[in-house]
Amino acid sequence: MACGEFSLIARYFDRVRHSRRDVETGIGDDCALLNVPEKQTLAISVDTLVAGNHFLPDIDPADLAYKALAVNLSDLAAVGADPAWMTLALTLPDADEGWLQAFSDSLFEQLSYYDMQLIGGDTTRGPLSMTIGIHGYVPVGRAMKRDGAKPGDWIYVTGTPGDSAAGLAILQQRLAVKDREDAAYLRQRHLRPTPRLLHGQALRNLASSAIDISDGLISDLGHILHASGCGARVDLDLLPYSDAFRRHVEKEQGVRWALSGGEDYELCFTVPELNRGALDVAIGHLGVPVTCIGQMSADVDGLHFTRDGKPVTLDMKGYDHFAAH
Amino acid sequence: MACGEFSLIARYFDRVRHSRRDVETGIGDDCALLNVPEKQTLAISVDTLVAGNHFLPDIDPADLAYKALAVNLSDLAAVGADPAWMTLALTLPDADEGWLQAFSDSLFEQLSYYDMQLIGGDTTRGPLSMTIGIHGYVPVGRAMKRDGAKPGDWIYVTGTPGDSAAGLAILQQRLAVKDREDAAYLRQRHLRPTPRLLHGQALRNLASSAIDISDGLISDLGHILHASGCGARVDLDLLPYSDAFRRHVEKEQGVRWALSGGEDYELCFTVPELNRGALDVAIGHLGVPVTCIGQMSADVDGLHFTRDGKPVTLDMKGYDHFAAH
């Protein structure tokens, strides 16, 4: 990249709000140079967002920057890591200064909030898309993985999965919500999900497995089941709903969105019986509640559901299809 | 990314040829988990390649994978780092199995050669492009940077800059080379440049600054001058040419390509007088020669050229423009 217009673009991102002690060289040399603290394992996640596929091309650039970062931070939360650095490879059709100002302002506001530093990247011309790399630390041996769940472990979720799907439905005018506050709440849950970093960090000594809910609870809990080689039972009556969601979403639609709406960026995790007391203490002060929705089991294959104490069969294929919108 | 066709694609990249000891978790969880050895600084470089901008859409996928990796490795070479891990975010218009097989075979062959491991990434649908992240190590305090050159330091290049531009001209039928071997050599220098990793590692105790030549010698040596706050004199008579290049490229065109053709992925570096003897020893066994082409200077501003012992003025603006093709 040596063309004039695009070196201008690079300037929007060459501002150091936070100069972290672990960054020896950030943007501007051939490589970023970084010193990982002793006894910390590095956690890395990479995601690409393509316009028209992962977001609408006319999305507010401030919302786009927020969500692109949040989605990646959610992956760090799932392993229990503290965020540290970010790389941004941004491909743009042209240099729209208003767009760049709003996007980069929002990005740096978030980086500052999380004490993160942008350490490198690339700006190229082409159809709008971006690839974000997020780097964080987790104490050696403490990272949560998908494969640690054991039969008998309890299954939890943070927050209220389903809100994001309801918010998307409002944005796409598939759901009408007259109450302004409720509508705003649900839209924000879709546009500006909160990565559950504090929960992830609190859980890393307590949970036997964890994942973040990006494709929907069925799909992502399914990854834990598959990796851990267990089945599980989930009680549909225990699914946690927000007040706004409960007020405006019809019951069967609600179950569907909670299980497979996707883009919740809540955590789903498992906790051994022995750690349940410690969990209540560790999570109690974080504001956002966690809810036990079921239990891992050795005597069933895959995911089984109950309602009113009785087994129910969900058309899982339909749910999977739905998850892909 | 949960759509069926694209999870198939991911399988092409989910093969572990080398399982490095520093990789705790590679592909398949929310994050890759990595343990950086003690007393090593992490070096990270990120590059995006967009079809039609950085490569022709009909490029041989094996060549594309080779070059995408080589270009990033060249950034590690410039700081003197040993390669370790790679992330790949690949955006494809469709799932062409033949393309994927050739691309991934070539990629894994290179990863294996360099003892590297693919630790994560993303596969999305969209216009063909890719973002590669490369991670390597350099002993703490030993990374080469652009800002360390001092007046009096000697300026060197590895290999023979200009070959790549000549190879591109052959591919685009702007240069006719009848000799088959010479034509093949020059084409390969463009399609399959060798990242100078061994030189970079040998230089990290000897060079005062270094950069890799991606935009052309004038432009990249210019970055060293700017960062180090020195001027420099370069003797055009000392520019090293390959035999094939000398045989088929007209003299003035040759100077132009050597100085600003770009995509050489050779190293340009500076060495204090005191280290010149040690340099000859350290570099001697690496096969590819290094050539001294000039000297850093406090008494000139910017880059000055001589030929036959006399100052010459190059139309630098024209050279810069040319560099952008």
Side-chain angles (χ1 to χ4, degrees):
Chain A
M1 271 308 312
C3 98
E5 190 186 18
F6 273 70
S7 15
L8 271 178
I9 290 178
R11 284 195 208 157
Y12 282 93
F13 299 100
D14 193 5
R15 32 174 157 167
V16 176
R17 287 274 177 86
H18 280 260
S19 186
R20 289 177 55 100
R21 280 201 312 170
D22 50 15
V23 178
E24 187 178 318
T25 302
I27 291 173
D29 214 301
D30 289 296
C31 292
L33 297 170
L34 308 144
N35 293 306
V36 176
E38 275 182 54
K39 300 190 180 166
Q40 299 284 323
T41 292
L42 188 65
I44 301 183
S45 169
V46 175
D47 269 302
T48 299
L49 301 176
V50 178
N53 184 338
H54 300 89
F55 59 89
L56 298 172
D58 63 353
I59 188 175
D60 176 343
D63 285 337
L64 178 59
Y66 179 98
K67 193 158 178 179
L69 187 56
V71 165
N72 276 277
L73 286 173
S74 183
D75 282 321
L76 287 190
V79 301
D82 299 292
W85 325 305
M86 171 186 180
T87 59
L88 172 68
L90 186 61
T91 302
L92 292 171
D94 50 45
D96 175 337
E97 300 221 7
W99 192 97
L100 279 161
Q101 191 69 54
F103 180 87
S104 60
D105 282 351
S106 169
L107 183 70
F108 279 93
E109 191 184 317
Q110 290 304 306
L111 289 175
S112 162
Y113 180 82
Y114 290 110
D115 188 24
M116 296 181 70
Q117 191 168 336
L118 184 69
I119 53 159
D122 203 357
T123 320
T124 51
R125 187 192 298 273
L128 180 60
S129 74
M130 70 189 71
T131 295
I132 285 180
I134 292 280
H135 305 71
Y137 304 140
V138 58
V140 167
R142 289 269 146 243
M144 295 185 287
K145 298 178 189 175
R146 298 175 180 182
D147 63 3
K150 298 270 182 305
D153 288 357
W154 298 94
I155 302 165
Y156 287 80
V157 290
T158 62
T160 49
D163 286 350
S164 175
L168 178 62
I170 293 172
L171 288 164
Q172 296 182 335
Q173 302 182 315
R174 291 183 282 111
L175 176 68
V177 171
K178 285 203 179 149
D179 184 288
R180 279 194 178 190
E181 267 186 43
D182 284 353
Y185 166 83
L186 293 169
R187 270 199 309 266
Q188 284 302 92
R189 296 294 301 136
H190 180 76
L191 294 173
R192 301 213 164 199
T194 306
R196 299 301 183 197
L197 288 161
L198 296 178
H199 287 77
Q201 290 157 27
L203 288 171
R204 65 193 175 203
N205 294 312
L206 301 171
S208 51
S209 73
I211 195 168
D212 71 316
I213 308 176
S214 52
D215 295 331
L217 188 53
I218 286 181
S219 170
D220 292 311
L221 177 54
H223 290 307
I224 287 182
L225 266 58
H226 181 78
S228 301
C230 299
R233 287 193 181 83
V234 167
D235 184 346
L236 298 180
D237 298 321
L238 297 178
L239 289 176
Y241 297 114
S242 67
D243 292 340
F245 189 89
R246 204 186 296 271
R247 276 195 284 268
H248 303 286
V249 180
E250 177 271 324
K251 195 179 167 193
E252 283 309 304
Q253 178 68 283
V255 173
R256 202 169 284 125
W257 279 344
L259 291 179
S260 63
E263 299 201 61
D264 299 299
Y265 303 108
E266 298 293 347
L267 297 183
C268 175
F269 58 96
T270 58
V271 175
E273 174 68 30
L274 212 64
N275 290 350
R276 293 185 86 184
L279 174 71
D280 291 339
V281 175
I283 294 290
H285 67 288
L286 296 181
V288 175
V290 304
T291 308
C292 180
I293 59 168
Q295 193 172 21
M296 301 297 288
S297 168
D299 61 5
V300 290
D301 250 2
L303 204 46
H304 291 249
F305 297 95
T306 60
R307 182 183 271 170
D308 300 326
K310 291 173 201 140
V312 287
T313 308
L314 298 178
D315 178 0
M316 303 285 276
K317 214 172 159 190
Y319 277 69
D320 270 355
H321 176 76
F322 186 85
H325 316 291
Chain B
M1 270 306 313
C3 101
E5 188 187 20
F6 273 72
S7 14
L8 272 177
I9 290 178
R11 283 194 208 158
Y12 283 92
F13 299 100
D14 194 5
R15 32 174 157 165
V16 176
R17 287 275 178 85
H18 280 260
S19 186
R20 289 176 55 99
R21 280 202 311 169
D22 50 15
V23 178
E24 187 179 318
T25 301
I27 291 174
D29 215 300
D30 288 296
C31 292
L33 296 170
L34 309 144
N35 293 306
V36 176
E38 274 181 56
K39 298 190 181 166
Q40 299 284 323
T41 291
L42 188 65
I44 301 183
S45 169
V46 175
D47 268 302
T48 299
L49 301 175
V50 179
N53 183 339
H54 301 90
F55 59 89
L56 297 172
D58 64 351
I59 188 175
D60 176 343
D63 285 337
L64 178 58
Y66 179 97
K67 193 157 178 179
L69 187 55
V71 164
N72 276 277
L73 287 173
S74 183
D75 282 320
L76 287 190
V79 301
D82 300 293
W85 324 306
M86 171 184 179
T87 59
L88 172 66
L90 186 60
T91 302
L92 293 169
D94 49 45
D96 175 338
E97 299 221 8
W99 193 96
L100 278 162
Q101 190 70 55
F103 181 87
S104 60
D105 281 352
S106 169
L107 183 70
F108 279 93
E109 192 185 316
Q110 290 304 307
L111 289 176
S112 164
Y113 180 82
Y114 290 110
D115 188 24
M116 293 180 72
Q117 191 168 334
L118 183 68
I119 53 159
D122 202 357
T123 320
T124 51
R125 186 193 297 275
L128 180 59
S129 74
M130 69 189 71
T131 294
I132 285 179
I134 292 280
H135 305 71
Y137 305 141
V138 59
V140 167
R142 289 270 147 246
M144 295 185 288
K145 299 178 189 176
R146 299 174 179 181
D147 63 2
K150 297 270 183 304
D153 288 357
W154 297 94
I155 301 165
Y156 287 80
V157 290
T158 62
T160 49
D163 285 351
S164 175
L168 178 62
I170 293 171
L171 287 164
Q172 296 183 333
Q173 303 182 314
R174 290 182 283 112
L175 176 69
V177 171
K178 285 204 178 148
D179 183 288
R180 277 196 181 189
E181 267 186 45
D182 285 352
Y185 165 82
L186 293 169
R187 269 199 310 267
Q188 283 302 92
R189 295 294 301 135
H190 179 77
L191 293 173
R192 301 212 166 202
T194 306
R196 300 303 183 196
L197 287 161
L198 296 177
H199 287 76
Q201 289 158 28
L203 288 171
R204 63 191 175 204
N205 294 312
L206 301 171
S208 51
S209 73
I211 194 167
D212 72 316
I213 307 178
S214 51
D215 295 331
L217 188 53
I218 286 181
S219 170
D220 291 311
L221 177 54
H223 290 307
I224 288 182
L225 267 56
H226 181 76
S228 300
C230 299
R233 287 194 182 81
V234 166
D235 184 345
L236 296 180
D237 299 321
L238 298 177
L239 289 175
Y241 298 113
S242 67
D243 292 341
F245 189 91
R246 205 187 299 272
R247 277 194 285 268
H248 303 286
V249 179
E250 176 273 321
K251 196 179 165 194
E252 284 309 305
Q253 179 67 283
V255 173
R256 203 169 284 125
W257 279 343
L259 291 180
S260 62
E263 298 201 59
D264 300 298
Y265 303 108
E266 299 292 349
L267 297 183
C268 175
F269 58 97
T270 58
V271 174
E273 173 68 31
L274 212 65
N275 290 350
R276 292 184 86 182
L279 174 72
D280 291 340
V281 175
I283 294 292
H285 67 288
L286 296 181
V288 174
V290 304
T291 309
C292 180
I293 59 168
Q295 194 172 19
M296 301 297 287
S297 169
D299 62 4
V300 290
D301 249 1
L303 205 45
H304 291 248
F305 298 95
T306 60
R307 183 182 269 168
D308 301 327
K310 290 173 202 140
V312 286
T313 307
L314 297 178
D315 177 1
M316 303 286 276
K317 213 172 161 190
Y319 276 68
D320 270 354
H321 176 76
F322 186 84
H325 316 289

